[in-house]
Amino acid sequence: MTISRRDLIKVGMTAGAALSMPSVLRAQTAPTDARTVRMALGNLQIFDPHLAGTDPTVFHGLAIYDTLFSLDSKYVPQPQMVGKWGVSDDKKTYTFELRDGLGWHDGTPVTAADCVASIRRWGQVAPTGKLIMARAKGISKKDDKTFSITLKEPLGILTELLTELAAPVPFIMREKDADRPATEQVTANIGSGPFKFNNALAKPGANFTYDRNEKYVPRSDASDGYAGAKVAKVDRVIWDFAEANTALAALQAGELDFARFPPADLYSTIESDPNLVLQVMNKSGNNMCLRMNHLQKPFDNVKARQAMLHLIDQEAFLRVTAPDPRYRHTLTSIFGNTTPYSNDENTSWFKKGGDPEKAKQLFKEAGYAGEKIVILDPTDWAQASNASQLLASELRKIGVNAELASSDWNSLEARRKNKGPVESGGWSIYITDDFDHTQLPITASFLRASGDTDGGLKNDEFEALRLEWLDLDTLEERKLLARKMQRIWWDFVGDVRLGQMVTPIARRKTLTGLIEMPYIAFWNLQKVSG
């Protein structure tokens, strides 16, 4: 008899989920006590949050590092490491004073010099940081606790830029780590945050351990989003690398407390388990997006990009990426569904079911002559892999030579930096996602057309409008600019949206206190009696 994955999970739930897990994993995942939390969060490979913007790297950064400002639950910047700050009358000089009690995990105090070096390093690699550096006249230390940023011209959203939610995040590092070139990974894992990385217990490929930083001094104000008091209420968090199905079985058995990516087709099974619950952390969800290589054929031709816009049937893609209709929505605005800048400008291309014949005609007008289109397929991200396979099928139906290049996400990230043709290891399309609720469109990773993105997306008219955002003061001005930007975007087709998804996590009911924000934070977690 063949046992399906769904049946296997059901067996685990009714007869003991340990049956569906290798004994080695069971031995590795048994919690030690009520003050230890075990979480399946994906594979962490890059520890330097200035170097990589992957979700696992940001989770790691939130645990061990701290930031000058943090976003509250309404996405408003609030002081975090900063105690006092002010701006000069001419709006060109910002002065920041660190709060008391900040110290590195190695026992040394956090200083203004650490902050200056960290901002400069982050400013070399993060799009938002580059915006600050382009306007900065100088960033300098005043004394051990005070530093300033002097601007060539006013920049009213400076604190918002220093609170960037779109990675890389401006985490503060020790000066000697931040002095390392931005192209070289910092591996010391010594921060000033509420948790310390336990190097002695690190098991690459299996799990990593984070211990409560007993010397961390939280802010006195209440916890709110990422802002306020960061109180470590458990002694240890163990980050497990278990894949989705294994993680769910371990969760059912009580050997994990949290699984980030429960299989979507098993939501009802999770909800029927009296010990488990689904919880939405990122209320506004993520937008799934199809990115094309603008540097290579056929997508160096705008007609081919327009063909993709007409080919996509969002509802079909949402069915394979978010099977539960409670967690999916179609999307036509580049500013998402939940921001004040969402609009319907230049969206006449949207059609239920797509328009394959129109897409076929546009490929013909683009001069498409059967060139291979390589779609990067991330096998360790089920939603994107499902979408990639559906995309390949839809392209083949209209006579396009589509080929899947399957790999894990980390390998995909490395390959997408290749600017060459597919014959030289390049690519044509990959699928990714980003938050629907963008703190500022100027910071959104999807909305850059400066030519420095993977695939060389470039449009000078759009980019000029995007940079205008820096100098606008009112909501109405920004809404008007958003419409202008969207009209241009859908003309040159910077990308193609596949829909908006809200993805719940699964946890045991005994794990409480999770901060409902896009990235997973370890502080505030606690375990209660079952």
Side-chain angles (χ1 to χ4, degrees):
M1 178 179 69
T2 300
I3 301 177
S4 70
R5 175 166 61 88
R6 181 183 293 273
D7 290 333
L8 186 62
I9 295 295
K10 287 181 178 178
V11 168
M13 186 172 67
T14 58
L19 294 176
S20 61
M21 250 188 325
S23 59
V24 172
L25 180 62
R26 295 203 302 272
Q28 290 176 342
T29 58
T32 56
D33 56 50
R35 293 186 62 82
T36 295
V37 172
R38 296 201 74 120
M39 309 177 78
L41 295 171
N43 191 353
L44 172 62
Q45 293 189 337
I46 299 178
F47 297 90
D48 185 341
H50 292 174
L51 192 63
T54 62
D55 288 357
T57 301
V58 178
F59 302 163
H60 169 77
L62 285 170
I64 74 167
Y65 292 110
D66 219 336
T67 52
L68 297 172
F69 292 82
S70 292
L71 292 176
D72 64 20
S73 58
K74 294 182 174 62
Y75 294 84
V76 176
Q78 303 294 345
Q80 185 54 240
M81 297 176 76
V82 169
K84 301 176 184 177
W85 69 282
V87 59
S88 62
D89 291 341
D90 65 1
K91 310 297 182 184
K92 292 183 180 180
T93 300
Y94 287 73
T95 303
F96 306 94
E97 180 182 312
L98 297 175
R99 65 184 178 91
D100 294 333
L102 300 177
W104 298 108
H105 297 159
D106 63 6
T108 59
V110 175
T111 69
D114 299 314
C115 301
V116 170
S118 295
I119 293 171
R120 287 176 174 164
R121 185 175 191 265
W122 168 73
Q124 295 177 44
V125 291
T128 305
K130 291 178 180 178
L131 290 173
I132 294 176
M133 298 307 292
R135 293 210 177 188
K137 187 176 181 180
I139 304 175
S140 59
K141 166 188 170 182
K142 300 301 182 184
D143 57 43
D144 282 348
K145 292 184 63 177
T146 311
F147 69 96
S148 66
I149 298 177
T150 303
L151 304 167
K152 301 169 187 172
E153 52 187 310
L155 183 58
I157 59 172
L158 179 66
T159 56
E160 285 92 338
L161 298 179
L162 287 171
T163 324
E164 169 156 46
L165 189 60
V169 176
F171 290 111
I172 301 302
M173 300 177 173
R174 297 180 302 175
E175 181 181 17
K176 67 180 184 179
D177 293 327
D179 280 343
R180 195 182 188 98
T183 54
E184 296 180 11
Q185 183 173 181
V186 171
T187 57
N189 290 322
I190 294 176
S192 64
F195 284 86
K196 299 185 292 185
F197 185 81
N198 190 323
N199 284 288
L201 295 182
K203 299 176 182 177
N207 58 63
F208 291 129
T209 298
Y210 297 79
D211 295 326
R212 180 168 63 90
N213 178 11
E214 297 177 353
K215 296 183 179 180
Y216 183 77
V217 179
R219 292 187 65 88
S220 58
D221 32 337
S223 177
D224 182 18
Y226 296 129
K230 297 180 178 180
V231 179
K233 298 181 179 179
V234 296
D235 294 330
R236 175 168 287 180
V237 175
I238 299 177
W239 176 325
D240 204 291
F241 289 7
E243 56 84 31
N245 299 321
T246 304
L248 180 55
L251 191 71
Q252 292 168 329
E255 296 168 347
L256 278 177
D257 301 295
F258 177 105
R260 185 182 174 211
F261 288 128
D265 60 336
L266 295 176
Y267 286 170
S268 61
T269 301
I270 295 167
E271 290 175 311
S272 68
D273 189 319
N275 298 310
L276 305 183
V277 65
L278 292 172
Q279 182 174 351
V280 175
M281 309 293 289
N282 179 11
K283 299 295 187 183
S284 62
N286 283 28
N287 297 335
M288 187 161 273
C289 173
L290 182 156
R291 306 286 282 184
M292 296 164 286
N293 190 339
H294 292 228
L295 300 174
Q296 301 293 336
K297 288 182 177 298
F299 299 119
D300 58 344
N301 188 304
V302 67
K303 292 286 188 179
R305 301 197 298 272
Q306 290 170 351
M308 298 301 296
L309 195 62
H310 288 277
L311 175 68
I312 297 303
D313 173 6
Q314 283 196 17
E315 292 179 339
F317 277 85
L318 285 168
R319 284 193 293 271
V320 302
T321 56
D324 192 321
R326 293 175 294 173
Y327 301 120
R328 68 190 191 214
H329 306 279
T330 57
L331 173 69
T332 59
S333 178
I334 63 174
F335 296 95
N337 282 332
T338 63
T339 76
Y341 313 114
S342 180
N343 67 83
D344 60 358
E345 185 73 20
N346 198 13
T347 56
S348 61
W349 48 266
F350 183 80
K351 180 179 179 181
K352 185 174 182 178
D355 192 344
E357 288 304 314
K358 176 73 170 178
K360 186 174 182 178
Q361 178 61 33
L362 284 166
F363 266 116
K364 183 177 179 181
E365 292 176 18
Y368 177 70
E371 298 95 342
K372 182 190 297 182
I373 289 180
V374 173
I375 302 167
L376 303 184
D377 170 27
T379 55
D380 54 350
W381 179 14
Q383 293 166 317
S385 183
N386 291 345
S388 299
Q389 293 176 56
L390 175 58
L391 178 62
S393 174
E394 294 303 298
L395 283 168
R396 289 166 186 155
K397 287 179 183 177
I398 62 169
V400 173
N401 179 15
E403 178 181 294
L404 289 167
S406 300
S407 70
D408 61 27
W409 180 258
N410 287 303
S411 298
L412 183 154
E413 281 214 320
R415 182 167 179 176
R416 75 184 189 188
K417 298 181 186 304
N418 186 327
K419 298 182 184 298
V422 296
E423 294 79 12
S424 300
W427 57 277
S428 308
I429 296 171
Y430 72 90
I431 290 169
T432 185
D433 67 355
D434 202 1
F435 305 134
D436 184 84
H437 189 293
T438 303
Q439 176 195 354
L440 286 171
I442 190 69
T443 71
S445 61
F446 283 178
L447 300 184
R448 296 207 324 270
S450 54
D452 61 351
T453 62
D454 297 332
L457 189 162
K458 183 175 176 60
N459 184 281
D460 293 340
E461 184 180 8
F462 179 88
E463 191 67 8
L465 289 177
R466 187 178 75 90
L467 294 176
E468 283 185 21
W469 204 280
L470 294 169
D471 300 309
L472 298 183
D473 297 320
T474 70
L475 179 62
E476 289 308 311
E477 287 178 313
R478 292 174 175 178
K479 285 184 175 180
L480 181 60
L481 180 60
R483 295 190 73 90
K484 292 179 181 178
M485 292 170 67
Q486 183 164 300
R487 174 177 50 79
I488 295 170
W489 186 271
W490 290 136
D491 279 344
F492 81 92
V493 194
D495 61 24
V496 177
R497 305 300 161 103
L498 302 180
Q500 176 201 11
M501 302 176 299
V502 176
T503 305
I505 59 88
R507 63 173 173 85
R508 294 191 67 80
K509 291 181 178 178
T510 51
L511 179 66
T512 64
L514 277 79
I515 294 171
E516 292 185 336
M517 294 287 280
Y519 293 119
I520 307 300
F522 294 170
W523 65 86
N524 214 46
L525 294 177
Q526 55 185 332
K527 291 173 74 172
V528 297
S529 299

